[in-house]
PDB file of all heavy atoms in Angstrom:
ATOM      1  N   HIS F  60      10.448  16.946  13.392  1.00 94.00           N
ATOM      2  CA  HIS F  60      10.817  16.683  11.993  1.00 94.00           C
ATOM      3  C   HIS F  60      10.789  17.938  11.122  1.00 94.00           C
ATOM      4  O   HIS F  60      10.415  17.885   9.946  1.00 94.00           O
ATOM      5  CB  HIS F  60       9.902  15.612  11.387  1.00 94.00           C
ATOM      6  CG  HIS F  60       9.797  14.359  12.198  1.00 94.00           C
ATOM      7  ND1 HIS F  60      10.864  13.498  12.358  1.00 94.00           N
ATOM      8  CD2 HIS F  60       8.768  13.839  12.921  1.00 94.00           C
ATOM      9  CE1 HIS F  60      10.481  12.496  13.145  1.00 94.00           C
ATOM     10  NE2 HIS F  60       9.229  12.684  13.496  1.00 94.00           N
ATOM     11  N   TRP F  61      11.215  19.073  11.682  1.00 92.00           N
ATOM     12  CA  TRP F  61      11.234  20.300  10.891  1.00 92.00           C
ATOM     13  C   TRP F  61      12.206  20.201   9.720  1.00 92.00           C
ATOM     14  O   TRP F  61      12.006  20.832   8.686  1.00 92.00           O
ATOM     15  CB  TRP F  61      11.614  21.488  11.790  1.00 92.00           C
ATOM     16  CG  TRP F  61      10.447  22.089  12.502  1.00 92.00           C
ATOM     17  CD1 TRP F  61       9.327  21.434  12.923  1.00 92.00           C
ATOM     18  CD2 TRP F  61      10.269  23.458  12.852  1.00 92.00           C
ATOM     19  NE1 TRP F  61       8.469  22.305  13.537  1.00 92.00           N
ATOM     20  CE2 TRP F  61       9.024  23.563  13.525  1.00 92.00           C
ATOM     21  CE3 TRP F  61      11.051  24.603  12.705  1.00 92.00           C
ATOM     22  CZ2 TRP F  61       8.537  24.766  14.011  1.00 92.00           C
ATOM     23  CZ3 TRP F  61      10.562  25.802  13.195  1.00 92.00           C
ATOM     24  CH2 TRP F  61       9.315  25.893  13.836  1.00 92.00           C
ATOM     25  N   ASP F  62      13.278  19.433   9.888  1.00 94.00           N
ATOM     26  CA  ASP F  62      14.240  19.312   8.796  1.00 94.00           C
ATOM     27  C   ASP F  62      13.576  18.765   7.539  1.00 94.00           C
ATOM     28  O   ASP F  62      13.871  19.202   6.419  1.00 94.00           O
ATOM     29  CB  ASP F  62      15.427  18.434   9.217  1.00 94.00           C
ATOM     30  CG  ASP F  62      14.997  17.080   9.755  1.00 94.00           C
ATOM     31  OD1 ASP F  62      13.816  16.928  10.149  1.00 94.00           O
ATOM     32  OD2 ASP F  62      15.837  16.170   9.809  1.00 94.00           O
ATOM     33  N   GLU F  63      12.658  17.824   7.713  1.00 95.00           N
ATOM     34  CA  GLU F  63      11.956  17.263   6.560  1.00 95.00           C
ATOM     35  C   GLU F  63      11.076  18.320   5.893  1.00 95.00           C
ATOM     36  O   GLU F  63      10.986  18.391   4.661  1.00 95.00           O
ATOM     37  CB  GLU F  63      11.096  16.074   6.987  1.00 95.00           C
ATOM     38  CG  GLU F  63      11.903  14.900   7.535  1.00 95.00           C
ATOM     39  CD  GLU F  63      11.007  13.795   8.084  1.00 95.00           C
ATOM     40  OE1 GLU F  63       9.781  13.839   7.815  1.00 95.00           O
ATOM     41  OE2 GLU F  63      11.519  12.905   8.789  1.00 95.00           O
ATOM     42  N   ARG F  64      10.419  19.138   6.678  1.00 95.00           N
ATOM     43  CA  ARG F  64       9.501  20.133   6.133  1.00 95.00           C
ATOM     44  C   ARG F  64      10.229  21.180   5.291  1.00 95.00           C
ATOM     45  O   ARG F  64       9.622  21.794   4.406  1.00 95.00           O
ATOM     46  CB  ARG F  64       8.737  20.824   7.263  1.00 95.00           C
ATOM     47  CG  ARG F  64       7.751  19.908   7.996  1.00 95.00           C
ATOM     48  CD  ARG F  64       6.928  20.717   8.960  1.00 95.00           C
ATOM     49  NE  ARG F  64       5.950  19.942   9.703  1.00 95.00           N
ATOM     50  CZ  ARG F  64       4.753  19.583   9.256  1.00 95.00           C
ATOM     51  NH1 ARG F  64       4.390  19.904   8.032  1.00 95.00           N
ATOM     52  NH2 ARG F  64       3.923  18.908  10.023  1.00 95.00           N
ATOM     53  N   PHE F  65      11.520  21.396   5.579  1.00 95.00           N
ATOM     54  CA  PHE F  65      12.278  22.404   4.846  1.00 95.00           C
ATOM     55  C   PHE F  65      13.344  21.783   3.936  1.00 95.00           C
ATOM     56  O   PHE F  65      14.225  22.475   3.429  1.00 95.00           O
ATOM     57  CB  PHE F  65      12.912  23.390   5.824  1.00 95.00           C
ATOM     58  CG  PHE F  65      11.888  24.217   6.562  1.00 95.00           C
ATOM     59  CD1 PHE F  65      11.423  23.822   7.803  1.00 95.00           C
ATOM     60  CD2 PHE F  65      11.361  25.359   5.985  1.00 95.00           C
ATOM     61  CE1 PHE F  65      10.459  24.574   8.481  1.00 95.00           C
ATOM     62  CE2 PHE F  65      10.404  26.114   6.651  1.00 95.00           C
ATOM     63  CZ  PHE F  65       9.946  25.718   7.901  1.00 95.00           C
ATOM     64  N   GLY F  66      13.251  20.448   3.727  1.00 92.00           N
ATOM     65  CA  GLY F  66      14.098  19.779   2.754  1.00 92.00           C
ATOM     66  C   GLY F  66      15.556  19.689   3.131  1.00 92.00           C
ATOM     67  O   GLY F  66      16.419  19.654   2.246  1.00 92.00           O
ATOM     68  N   SER F  67      15.847  19.617   4.423  1.00 90.00           N
ATOM     69  CA  SER F  67      17.244  19.515   4.849  1.00 90.00           C
ATOM     70  C   SER F  67      17.467  18.206   5.613  1.00 90.00           C
ATOM     71  O   SER F  67      16.516  17.577   6.084  1.00 90.00           O
ATOM     72  CB  SER F  67      17.626  20.702   5.731  1.00 90.00           C
ATOM     73  OG  SER F  67      16.857  20.717   6.918  1.00 90.00           O
ATOM     74  N   GLN F  68      18.724  17.807   5.726  1.00 86.00           N
ATOM     75  CA  GLN F  68      19.130  16.603   6.460  1.00 86.00           C
ATOM     76  C   GLN F  68      18.323  15.374   6.008  1.00 86.00           C
ATOM     77  O   GLN F  68      17.818  14.604   6.824  1.00 86.00           O
ATOM     78  CB  GLN F  68      18.985  16.810   7.965  1.00 86.00           C
ATOM     79  CG  GLN F  68      19.835  17.953   8.500  1.00 86.00           C
ATOM     80  CD  GLN F  68      19.740  18.094  10.005  1.00 86.00           C
ATOM     81  OE1 GLN F  68      19.753  17.096  10.729  1.00 86.00           O
ATOM     82  NE2 GLN F  68      19.676  19.335  10.475  1.00 86.00           N
ATOM     83  N   LEU F  69      18.195  15.221   4.702  1.00 90.00           N
ATOM     84  CA  LEU F  69      17.447  14.095   4.144  1.00 90.00           C
ATOM     85  C   LEU F  69      18.307  12.835   4.208  1.00 90.00           C
ATOM     86  O   LEU F  69      19.456  12.836   3.757  1.00 90.00           O
ATOM     87  CB  LEU F  69      17.054  14.394   2.699  1.00 90.00           C
ATOM     88  CG  LEU F  69      16.167  15.637   2.522  1.00 90.00           C
ATOM     89  CD1 LEU F  69      16.044  15.988   1.049  1.00 90.00           C
ATOM     90  CD2 LEU F  69      14.788  15.409   3.129  1.00 90.00           C
ATOM     91  N   ARG F  70      17.753  11.781   4.764  1.00 89.00           N
ATOM     92  CA  ARG F  70      18.499  10.524   4.915  1.00 89.00           C
ATOM     93  C   ARG F  70      17.636   9.360   4.403  1.00 89.00           C
ATOM     94  O   ARG F  70      17.045   8.619   5.202  1.00 89.00           O
ATOM     95  CB  ARG F  70      18.872  10.301   6.381  1.00 89.00           C
ATOM     96  CG  ARG F  70      19.673  11.444   7.000  1.00 89.00           C
ATOM     97  CD  ARG F  70      20.005  11.148   8.457  1.00 89.00           C
ATOM     98  NE  ARG F  70      20.652  12.265   9.089  1.00 89.00           N
ATOM     99  CZ  ARG F  70      20.013  13.264   9.703  1.00 89.00           C
ATOM    100  NH1 ARG F  70      18.686  13.262   9.736  1.00 89.00           N
ATOM    101  NH2 ARG F  70      20.677  14.250  10.271  1.00 89.00           N
ATOM    102  N   PRO F  71      17.545   9.173   3.113  1.00 93.00           N
ATOM    103  CA  PRO F  71      16.697   8.101   2.570  1.00 93.00           C
ATOM    104  C   PRO F  71      17.172   6.722   3.024  1.00 93.00           C
ATOM    105  O   PRO F  71      18.372   6.445   3.049  1.00 93.00           O
ATOM    106  CB  PRO F  71      16.852   8.256   1.051  1.00 93.00           C
ATOM    107  CG  PRO F  71      17.379   9.632   0.848  1.00 93.00           C
ATOM    108  CD  PRO F  71      18.198   9.948   2.047  1.00 93.00           C
ATOM    109  N   ARG F  72      16.211   5.863   3.369  1.00 91.00           N
ATOM    110  CA  ARG F  72      16.530   4.460   3.638  1.00 91.00           C
ATOM    111  C   ARG F  72      16.799   3.732   2.340  1.00 91.00           C
ATOM    112  O   ARG F  72      17.580   2.801   2.289  1.00 91.00           O
ATOM    113  CB  ARG F  72      15.351   3.777   4.354  1.00 91.00           C
ATOM    114  CG  ARG F  72      15.275   4.064   5.828  1.00 91.00           C
ATOM    115  CD  ARG F  72      14.509   2.974   6.590  1.00 91.00           C
ATOM    116  NE  ARG F  72      13.360   2.419   5.919  1.00 91.00           N
ATOM    117  CZ  ARG F  72      12.114   2.506   6.382  1.00 91.00           C
ATOM    118  NH1 ARG F  72      11.864   3.166   7.495  1.00 91.00           N
ATOM    119  NH2 ARG F  72      11.126   1.945   5.749  1.00 91.00           N
ATOM    120  N   ALA F  73      16.079   4.158   1.289  1.00 89.00           N
ATOM    121  CA  ALA F  73      16.235   3.510  -0.016  1.00 89.00           C
ATOM    122  C   ALA F  73      15.839   4.506  -1.091  1.00 89.00           C
ATOM    123  O   ALA F  73      15.082   5.447  -0.847  1.00 89.00           O
ATOM    124  CB  ALA F  73      15.360   2.259  -0.098  1.00 89.00           C
ATOM    125  N   THR F  74      16.350   4.302  -2.291  1.00 93.00           N
ATOM    126  CA  THR F  74      15.932   5.098  -3.437  1.00 93.00           C
ATOM    127  C   THR F  74      15.112   4.207  -4.370  1.00 93.00           C
ATOM    128  O   THR F  74      15.029   2.996  -4.185  1.00 93.00           O
ATOM    129  CB  THR F  74      17.153   5.667  -4.178  1.00 93.00           C
ATOM    130  OG1 THR F  74      17.989   4.589  -4.590  1.00 93.00           O
ATOM    131  CG2 THR F  74      17.940   6.621  -3.283  1.00 93.00           C
ATOM    132  N   GLY F  75      14.498   4.846  -5.367  1.00 95.00           N
ATOM    133  CA  GLY F  75      13.726   4.081  -6.340  1.00 95.00           C
ATOM    134  C   GLY F  75      12.395   3.583  -5.826  1.00 95.00           C
ATOM    135  O   GLY F  75      11.850   2.601  -6.326  1.00 95.00           O
ATOM    136  N   ALA F  76      11.825   4.278  -4.829  1.00 96.00           N
ATOM    137  CA  ALA F  76      10.562   3.832  -4.228  1.00 96.00           C
ATOM    138  C   ALA F  76       9.360   4.252  -5.066  1.00 96.00           C
ATOM    139  O   ALA F  76       9.414   5.177  -5.876  1.00 96.00           O
ATOM    140  CB  ALA F  76      10.433   4.404  -2.819  1.00 96.00           C
ATOM    141  N   ILE F  77       8.258   3.546  -4.856  1.00 97.00           N
ATOM    142  CA  ILE F  77       6.955   4.044  -5.273  1.00 97.00           C
ATOM    143  C   ILE F  77       6.551   5.066  -4.216  1.00 97.00           C
ATOM    144  O   ILE F  77       6.449   4.743  -3.032  1.00 97.00           O
ATOM    145  CB  ILE F  77       5.915   2.907  -5.339  1.00 97.00           C
ATOM    146  CG1 ILE F  77       6.369   1.811  -6.309  1.00 97.00           C
ATOM    147  CG2 ILE F  77       4.553   3.469  -5.726  1.00 97.00           C
ATOM    148  CD1 ILE F  77       6.488   2.240  -7.733  1.00 97.00           C
ATOM    149  N   TRP F  78       6.297   6.303  -4.645  1.00 98.00           N
ATOM    150  CA  TRP F  78       6.064   7.402  -3.705  1.00 98.00           C
ATOM    151  C   TRP F  78       4.606   7.850  -3.776  1.00 98.00           C
ATOM    152  O   TRP F  78       4.084   8.127  -4.841  1.00 98.00           O
ATOM    153  CB  TRP F  78       7.009   8.550  -4.051  1.00 98.00           C
ATOM    154  CG  TRP F  78       6.651   9.883  -3.463  1.00 98.00           C
ATOM    155  CD1 TRP F  78       6.257  10.150  -2.186  1.00 98.00           C
ATOM    156  CD2 TRP F  78       6.643  11.140  -4.158  1.00 98.00           C
ATOM    157  NE1 TRP F  78       6.016  11.504  -2.040  1.00 98.00           N
ATOM    158  CE2 TRP F  78       6.251  12.134  -3.233  1.00 98.00           C
ATOM    159  CE3 TRP F  78       6.961  11.520  -5.470  1.00 98.00           C
ATOM    160  CZ2 TRP F  78       6.137  13.476  -3.582  1.00 98.00           C
ATOM    161  CZ3 TRP F  78       6.854  12.859  -5.807  1.00 98.00           C
ATOM    162  CH2 TRP F  78       6.447  13.813  -4.867  1.00 98.00           C
ATOM    163  N   ILE F  79       3.966   7.894  -2.610  1.00 97.00           N
ATOM    164  CA  ILE F  79       2.588   8.360  -2.488  1.00 97.00           C
ATOM    165  C   ILE F  79       2.580   9.569  -1.575  1.00 97.00           C
ATOM    166  O   ILE F  79       3.074   9.496  -0.438  1.00 97.00           O
ATOM    167  CB  ILE F  79       1.667   7.280  -1.873  1.00 97.00           C
ATOM    168  CG1 ILE F  79       1.848   5.925  -2.550  1.00 97.00           C
ATOM    169  CG2 ILE F  79       0.209   7.739  -1.911  1.00 97.00           C
ATOM    170  CD1 ILE F  79       1.293   5.832  -3.912  1.00 97.00           C
ATOM    171  N   HIS F  80       1.991  10.674  -2.035  1.00 97.00           N
ATOM    172  CA  HIS F  80       1.811  11.831  -1.166  1.00 97.00           C
ATOM    173  C   HIS F  80       0.331  12.005  -0.841  1.00 97.00           C
ATOM    174  O   HIS F  80      -0.504  12.119  -1.742  1.00 97.00           O
ATOM    175  CB  HIS F  80       2.335  13.115  -1.800  1.00 97.00           C
ATOM    176  CG  HIS F  80       2.059  14.315  -0.945  1.00 97.00           C
ATOM    177  ND1 HIS F  80       2.579  14.451   0.328  1.00 97.00           N
ATOM    178  CD2 HIS F  80       1.279  15.405  -1.152  1.00 97.00           C
ATOM    179  CE1 HIS F  80       2.160  15.580   0.854  1.00 97.00           C
ATOM    180  NE2 HIS F  80       1.357  16.172  -0.017  1.00 97.00           N
ATOM    181  N   ALA F  81       0.021  12.004   0.451  1.00 95.00           N
ATOM    182  CA  ALA F  81      -1.354  12.146   0.931  1.00 95.00           C
ATOM    183  C   ALA F  81      -1.331  13.134   2.093  1.00 95.00           C
ATOM    184  O   ALA F  81      -0.694  12.868   3.107  1.00 95.00           O
ATOM    185  CB  ALA F  81      -1.907  10.794   1.379  1.00 95.00           C
TER     186      ALA F  81
END
Side-chain angles (χ1 to χ4, degrees):
H60 308 292
W61 274 31
D62 53 341
E63 296 174 13
R64 292 187 180 278
F65 294 94
S67 63
Q68 300 183 42
L69 300 170
R70 304 180 185 89
R72 280 204 322 242
T74 58
I77 302 296
W78 163 45
I79 312 288
H80 176 62

